[in-house]
Amino acid sequence: MEEIMNRAQVLIEAIPYIRAFHGKTFVIKYGGHAMCDPELKQSVMLDITLLKYLGLNPILVHGGGPEITEMLGKIGKKSIRLHGQRVTDRETMDVVNMVLAGKINKELVTMLNHFGVKAAGLSGQDGGLLIAAKKKMPGGEDLGFVGEVEHVNPELLHTLLAKGYIPVVATVGVGVEGEIYNINADTVAGELAAALQAEKLIILTDVEGIYEDPADSSTLISKLKIAKALEMIEDGRIDSGMIPKVQACIYALRHGVSRTHIIDGRRPHSLLLEVLTDKGIGSMVVE
Amino acid sequence: MEEIMNRAQVLIEAIPYIRAFHGKTFVIKYGGHAMCDPELKQSVMLDITLLKYLGLNPILVHGGGPEITEMLGKIGKKSIRLHGQRVTDRETMDVVNMVLAGKINKELVTMLNHFGVKAAGLSGQDGGLLIAAKKKMPGGEDLGFVGEVEHVNPELLHTLLAKGYIPVVATVGVGVEGEIYNINADTVAGELAAALQAEKLIILTDVEGIYEDPADSSTLISKLKIAKALEMIEDGRIDSGMIPKVQACIYALRHGVSRTHIIDGRRPHSLLLEVLTDKGIGSMVVE
Amino acid sequence: MEEIMNRAQVLIEAIPYIRAFHGKTFVIKYGGHAMCDPELKQSVMLDITLLKYLGLNPILVHGGGPEITEMLGKIGKKSIRLHGQRVTDRETMDVVNMVLAGKINKELVTMLNHFGVKAAGLSGQDGGLLIAAKKKMPGGEDLGFVGEVEHVNPELLHTLLAKGYIPVVATVGVGVEGEIYNINADTVAGELAAALQAEKLIILTDVEGIYEDPADSSTLISKLKIAKALEMIEDGRIDSGMIPKVQACIYALRHGVSRTHIIDGRRPHSLLLEVLTDKGIGSMVVE
Amino acid sequence: MEEIMNRAQVLIEAIPYIRAFHGKTFVIKYGGHAMCDPELKQSVMLDITLLKYLGLNPILVHGGGPEITEMLGKIGKKSIRLHGQRVTDRETMDVVNMVLAGKINKELVTMLNHFGVKAAGLSGQDGGLLIAAKKKMPGGEDLGFVGEVEHVNPELLHTLLAKGYIPVVATVGVGVEGEIYNINADTVAGELAAALQAEKLIILTDVEGIYEDPADSSTLISKLKIAKALEMIEDGRIDSGMIPKVQACIYALRHGVSRTHIIDGRRPHSLLLEVLTDKGIGSMVVE
Amino acid sequence: MEEIMNRAQVLIEAIPYIRAFHGKTFVIKYGGHAMCDPELKQSVMLDITLLKYLGLNPILVHGGGPEITEMLGKIGKKSIRLHGQRVTDRETMDVVNMVLAGKINKELVTMLNHFGVKAAGLSGQDGGLLIAAKKKMPGGEDLGFVGEVEHVNPELLHTLLAKGYIPVVATVGVGVEGEIYNINADTVAGELAAALQAEKLIILTDVEGIYEDPADSSTLISKLKIAKALEMIEDGRIDSGMIPKVQACIYALRHGVSRTHIIDGRRPHSLLLEVLTDKGIGSMVVE
Amino acid sequence: MEEIMNRAQVLIEAIPYIRAFHGKTFVIKYGGHAMCDPELKQSVMLDITLLKYLGLNPILVHGGGPEITEMLGKIGKKSIRLHGQRVTDRETMDVVNMVLAGKINKELVTMLNHFGVKAAGLSGQDGGLLIAAKKKMPGGEDLGFVGEVEHVNPELLHTLLAKGYIPVVATVGVGVEGEIYNINADTVAGELAAALQAEKLIILTDVEGIYEDPADSSTLISKLKIAKALEMIEDGRIDSGMIPKVQACIYALRHGVSRTHIIDGRRPHSLLLEVLTDKGIGSMVVE
């Protein structure tokens, strides 16, 4: 009986969040380990399903690291990495495209449909969603088909959202000549959040958030100002894979997104907790 | 931490109900003691607020017993009762109308608005919602302005629902000559559920439900067939105030409403539990 | 035969007014003696019915003086008046609310429905129409639950107008804590006219209009400029109950309402004549 | 003052008609002397203007007899008549078309626009409104380009009505090969009334109505059943120009039009009186 | 087989034009000899039909010179011309109106309908499309009912376009007193193109275009700047009937029309070629 | 000059087809050699682009044979074939899915977007488009993840068509447990044509059509009745890969599709010629 009361209480406490976020767009970047563990994957998809039922408009942006590497392995292709990025020749790019848009994307779509919401997968080619160009490296290195977003054409996303679908986006971009590019998924998430004037950008990652001292997990920063974030990138406390995440947050904030979060995707239901409670998990990047 | 996980669990478990009931209409009859206790009143209004936020379309139908008696007392008017019903002369009817449509109705509207949903109060006169006629008693007794529903004109309800309002209905009907009638609120709830082809009719009352043996609370009937209900009315096991409730359920079922429930309004959040869990509280009347 | 020609003539002469006012909103304040005489009441409701049929959008705002006093009398409550206003304790406020929103409002709605138009009654609580605050008196006196309009939320009015209803408004406001206030009906009419950018505000009253010399009925002012009106309030020629009427006109004019009129509600069909002819009855307040 | 009251009374008395006919379609056939007298023409156009402002949807169908004859005279063309119908060669047909669609039609449109409503002229060619075929005479006579309606394509009328225009129709039809035909205007009016499922078909003519004894004006028949009308055509009491009018009424009635009237177009405002009062002028043909 | 490939090629080559002009409005002035030759008339109407099917919105504006003169001849009326314009008395104006709006307009409408598109004819009176005034001549001469456009009211055109009709416009204007005026068709075409913010104004005429030296057909100017055009009017190289055409182009360009063309209506399918290829026929007037 | 006239002629001759097919849905199955030759691929995509611009609604369904085999080869996987079908284990299925939905689908989308239309790729998982089940073989053989269509859910196709997109469909289906299946693309095309009540189903293949005698190319059957088709399957004249094509046509015809065609995809622009001329290429299967 008491359990029943608690149950009701939880629902009641979610009201202000449901109210505040009703009909609002949430861009959720999903990647890393949270994508490798089947149970975690299921838990994230359930969270997104619930957000949809509660009247929010989630958009899922995904990467696909390990599975790409595995597939490249199968065809006996070795990846060279330069400055932490995969040098992407034509054959590699085809594999990237196939794994992202053909495998992972459709798996996520299938899970969401299975939970009773309507999901539709798309990649940057569909409806010209992500117009890209070859990424220019400061040192002039040639990374092959690694690209940058030139322009976002969100019409197809609006069409799908208006009809109640959850768009699931594979981060492959298309160039003006029809060539395809692999684009960092965090960057794409930031761009989409900006183009859609999203309420929130939420990046699920493999750590708890950003640490004052990366070596000391007790130094998690719950609220990080842009200025300080830039400084921490400068002095190296934010480094490697965390850099594009923080930059995506900054980009989104500077283009009208209200709130951006980097949270721990390894913890079950961290997404729900971030959106529907005031527990303050992970790091929020703010202006 | 575990508490957080439970919290998420509760939300996740509500998904199938939210999904099934999305956009569906629920007629909720609210009366009796649940209306006298300020805390319970608040709890019921919170439940309705949450249902609205979860995408359901609740309609609230209310009575007003004790406050009417109190007001009649203030003006020194005594109520005569005949067959359990108040003999209602012109002056009494004016008081009924004022208390229901002017006081209680607006208090409920105010509470719902306060919780952040949009509510609008109406009574049977508004938009000709409840066209009524003088109730004919089998024995030919004259109960004065006690009426029966002749016709429901749901257009105004559809207008309000389409714009996201929770309609709150005071059960005063209007005759073809413009005269007003007091109508049993359970009956009105059943009529509205039928007219709107509601998903559910839920009647909040002061007991746990219907008992096989009214004297033995362990004999609560969780599922009651119409045939048996009629038999129990016949043999008196269902009597007095419970009769119109059961009849409202039967009427609604026979006119296309999917499910009807009589539940215990004294228990906090019983409404939420009925709608969002499969705990099976109270009595469900079924075809 | 000649009578028939005259009949046609009258209809023909109304054309320019029907054309000019088609689809325009008219806020009509109805109160005083015009509300006590059943025949006059019927005549005013017929006028409003006709305006609706001719394609105008009337909104009816009503007060309820004498019936409130009568009801207070019945429960043995005496009204104290301060500066011409009723000191309103909690119990008095409940009576005001019940008489206005529960009795008079519904009677007017019923009459309009009876004449074949669709009317819906509401008071300031419904849809948060009239957000109010305790009225601050210059001398610091406490009038109890006498309020002022803080904010008008016209959404529900737009919803009803769009679906062809005549909104009938009882002038009870609601405070941020859910408490209710009695607000002067002239003031509310002016606020609603401004919020809806009405074509006209028409206040029906118990005199012919505003007199140059109140003692001399031959000095009726047919057109009164705001500046002069303010002067006349200053020097006392406009006093007591006429002050809020004139102030409502000034408020409406200053907030975009095209025309404001104070006309004699005791004369049958004065409303029709004001709107559909150029006879120039009553006093028009102009910028 | 009394006059003012009468004026209001006339408006009030029109309410039930305005209410009953709101948004309903009225096909009005206008021709004969009512079209030759400029004052009468103005009066008919004013009536139609008022009906439009009152919320009805009038459609004007016109003939053009005398002006056609006049124009034919100017070019030195003589009309041969057979069984009361003009034998129409190619040159005559061109003149008919020009006078009807180019002159009279546009004059009526101009007058209506001048009175402040929106009117648009069209003839049977526009939007393929009137698909016609050569009229087959029982005796096999060749009347040239005299046609019959084969099919009505009302889409353009619906388009214009939906945007608030009064369609003014010249009764020229178009054959499957693009050839044009002169069609009796009464017949067209009956066909359009049927195609639009009009509320009323009203034919303005040069007599008071249909007489029991055409020689005795005291024998006007106010309500004529189809059966009797057919009998009177048989025995010749209804003859010549009155026959197509009565047949148009019968056709309309048999295809779903509620009411059909033949009234005296020579009497000013007879149209208004027919629609907005219960004076019962002219003859009504009923099933 | 090769022919089949060529056939496909032609369709493929039209793609960029179809794409660029989809849903765009084209005002096409049609007159002169192209209107007298039945085969050419058919060819122009086929071109317009195709443009409609390809998704463009053509509007046809027509004059009617020779047929007017012929009809005037029939009624024994001689036209006096002053400065190249017909002095138009009342009787002449009636003939102009009848021939334009009653004959030519309906013939064009009939042909278009026959080819399977929906066309509707209108003249300046319909829906108050062309509000005109008496043309003021610099020398003060009185040309009678020769008018100038005062105001274009394009609502009826928008209504027809929105429902898929091709509007066919006879260039008769209506004055504020309801009097009618004959207006130069080139001028009307320019005014309509401006009022509708057309993509193109295309004037079909009886020469190939504008010549540097009118005596030397090898001096056709394919692109003519406004400044030069004005200069050529000044020095007489552009004269008589070509002046209003060039002025219409200049007017349209200065009021937001993107492109204006004067092309050879005597050449079959010149309209198609202008719109769907880059052959550059005729003269384009540009800013 | 003559060429110009021919050019116009071709466009004019397409009118009846454009008219007849405006807004109609065409399901086009694209596969085989037409997909391997880059020039042919470009030509087919241009044809589809033109059809879209002409107002038709093409839907592209594609297979992917050779590229799948190539990819399987790269990962060293050998395909076993049983009764002409690939035995599809989990790893093979992943490759099928990736090549179809991730590579070919996106290439086609990119080409269409490049030609200026809006295209969006989807596979059977998206929006639950193709609900599938394991294919039951008559002999009980286990083909692994080879599936059959259980149910088509066309909502997402309607959403995309309504917004002007060309849907490009990869023929992967999803089972009730979320498992994926490879489905014959001809079969899917027939199912989609039926579900959308398409105007036409057109299957591009590697032969000219169906032959009376497969060994004699002069025996092409231009019109084949269902009965005869079934007979020819029976007696082996229609065999192997042609069987599912003919069965798809029969299925579509029996479920309300008007016309079905099997045409030669190796011939450039065969699609255009089939749709826009009456040359009668390939074989039409009819009821």
Side-chain angles (χ1 to χ4, degrees), chain A residues 4 13 19 53 115 273, chain B residues 4 7 19 53 115 273:
Chain A
I4 280 177
E13 280 176 19
R19 176 163 66 201
Y53 275 121
F115 290 148
L273 298 171
Chain B
I4 280 177
R7 198 174 269 267
R19 176 165 64 201
Y53 275 121
F115 289 147
L273 297 170

Side-chain angles (χ1 to χ4, degrees), chain F residues 14 41 58 76 83 91 150 152 172 225 231 269 272 278 282:
Chain F
K41 181 151 45 172
H83 305 296
E91 197 181 24
E150 287 278 287
V152 172
V172 176
K225 293 215 166 191
E231 195 185 291
H269 301 307
L272 269 199
D278 44 13

Side-chain angles (χ1 to χ4, degrees), chain E residues 1 3-15 18-20 22 43 46-47 49-50 53-55 113-117 267-269 272-273 276-277 279 281, chain F residues 1 3-15 18-20 22 43 46-47 49-50 52-55 114-117 267-269 272-273 276-277 279 281:
Chain E
M1 178 61 206
E3 185 239 324
I4 280 176
M5 289 295 295
N6 288 341
R7 200 174 268 267
Q9 201 48 36
V10 170
L11 290 161
I12 293 293
E13 280 176 18
I15 289 184
I18 300 175
R19 176 165 65 200
H22 195 266
S43 150
L46 262 176
D47 286 9
T49 298
L50 183 65
Y53 275 121
L54 296 180
N113 282 333
H114 195 65
F115 290 147
V117 283
R267 200 201 267 188
H269 302 307
L272 270 200
L273 298 171
L276 295 182
T277 71
K279 294 294 158 188
I281 64 167
Chain F
M1 180 60 205
E3 184 240 325
I4 279 177
M5 288 295 295
N6 289 341
R7 198 172 268 268
Q9 200 50 35
V10 170
L11 290 161
I12 292 292
E13 281 175 18
I15 289 184
I18 301 174
R19 176 166 64 201
H22 195 267
S43 151
L46 262 176
D47 286 8
T49 299
L50 183 66
K52 186 75 189 174
Y53 275 121
L54 296 182
H114 196 65
F115 289 147
V117 283
R267 198 201 269 189
H269 301 307
L272 269 199
L273 297 172
L276 296 181
T277 71
K279 294 293 160 191
I281 64 169

Side-chain angles (χ1 to χ4, degrees), chain C residues 65-166:
Chain C
E67 293 200 52
I68 292 168
T69 308
E70 188 190 333
M71 190 66 195
L72 288 171
K74 278 197 188 170
I75 65 163
K77 187 95 188 178
K78 278 220 183 86
S79 287
I80 301 160
R81 285 184 170 271
L82 214 64
H83 304 297
Q85 298 193 56
R86 197 192 306 268
V87 177
T88 306
D89 61 12
R90 174 92 234 170
E91 194 181 25
T92 302
M93 188 60 229
D94 273 355
V95 169
V96 167
N97 190 18
M98 285 191 285
V99 173
L100 281 179
K103 186 159 189 295
I104 297 174
N105 187 268
K106 299 312 176 193
E107 275 171 17
L108 297 177
V109 163
T110 299
M111 288 182 77
L112 288 169
N113 283 333
H114 195 66
F115 290 148
V117 284
K118 300 188 301 183
L122 53 164
S123 72
Q125 296 104 320
D126 293 305
L129 176 64
L130 297 172
I131 305 303
K134 191 181 170 74
K135 186 167 185 177
K136 289 193 196 71
M137 296 298 288
E141 303 88 337
D142 185 349
L143 296 176
F145 292 94
V146 171
E148 297 180 309
V149 176
E150 285 278 288
H151 177 66
V152 172
N153 179 6
E155 186 194 316
L156 185 50
L157 293 178
H158 288 305
T159 294
L160 293 172
L161 288 174
K163 288 290 177 182
Y165 290 88
I166 299 176

Side-chain angles (χ1 to χ4, degrees), chain A residues 73-92:
Chain A
K74 278 196 187 169
I75 67 163
K77 188 97 193 173
K78 279 221 181 83
S79 286
I80 302 160
R81 286 187 170 267
L82 214 66
H83 304 297
Q85 298 193 57
R86 198 193 306 269
V87 177
T88 307
D89 61 10
R90 172 93 234 171
E91 196 182 22
T92 304

Side-chain angles (χ1 to χ4, degrees), chain A residues 55-181:
Chain A
L56 285 66
N57 283 328
I59 290 175
L60 186 58
V61 177
H62 66 85
E67 293 199 52
I68 291 168
T69 308
E70 185 188 334
M71 189 68 197
L72 286 170
K74 278 196 187 169
I75 67 163
K77 188 97 193 173
K78 279 221 181 83
S79 286
I80 302 160
R81 286 187 170 267
L82 214 66
H83 304 297
Q85 298 193 57
R86 198 193 306 269
V87 177
T88 307
D89 61 10
R90 172 93 234 171
E91 196 182 22
T92 304
M93 186 61 229
D94 274 355
V95 169
V96 167
N97 191 19
M98 284 191 288
V99 174
L100 282 179
K103 186 159 189 294
I104 298 175
N105 187 267
K106 300 310 176 193
E107 276 172 17
L108 298 176
V109 163
T110 299
M111 290 183 75
L112 289 169
N113 283 332
H114 196 65
F115 290 148
V117 282
K118 300 188 302 182
L122 54 164
S123 73
Q125 297 103 319
D126 294 304
L129 175 64
L130 296 172
I131 305 302
K134 193 180 167 69
K135 186 168 183 178
K136 290 193 195 70
M137 297 296 290
E141 303 88 338
D142 186 348
L143 296 176
F145 292 93
V146 171
E148 299 181 307
V149 176
E150 286 278 286
H151 177 67
V152 172
N153 179 5
E155 186 195 315
L156 185 50
L157 293 178
H158 287 305
T159 294
L160 293 171
L161 288 174
K163 288 290 177 181
Y165 290 89
I166 298 176
V168 179
V169 180
T171 60
V172 175
V174 63
V176 287
E177 298 306 320
E179 74 279 18
I180 51 175
Y181 293 104

Side-chain angles (χ1 to χ4, degrees), chain C residues 190 193-195 197-198 201 225-231 233 246-260 285-287:
Chain C
Q197 293 292 295
L201 165 65
K225 294 214 165 192
I226 289 181
K228 174 149 188 196
L230 292 171
E231 194 185 294
I233 291 173
V246 172
Q247 282 174 335
C249 290
I250 293 171
Y251 181 86
L253 287 166
R254 286 184 170 159
H255 290 82
V257 175
S258 307
R259 304 219 155 176
T260 68
V285 184
V286 298
E287 252 181 305

Side-chain angles (χ1 to χ4, degrees), chain B residues 6 10 22 24 26 37 42 46 54 57 87 93 99 108 116 119 145 157 179 183 193 195 208 213 236 255 268 276-277:
Chain B
N6 289 341
V10 170
H22 196 266
K24 298 285 171 60
F26 284 67
D37 175 337
Q42 184 131 343
L46 260 176
L54 296 180
N57 283 329
V87 177
M93 187 60 229
V99 173
L108 298 177
F145 292 93
L157 294 177
E179 74 278 18
I183 315 180
E208 272 186 81
D213 171 1
H255 289 81
L276 295 181
T277 72

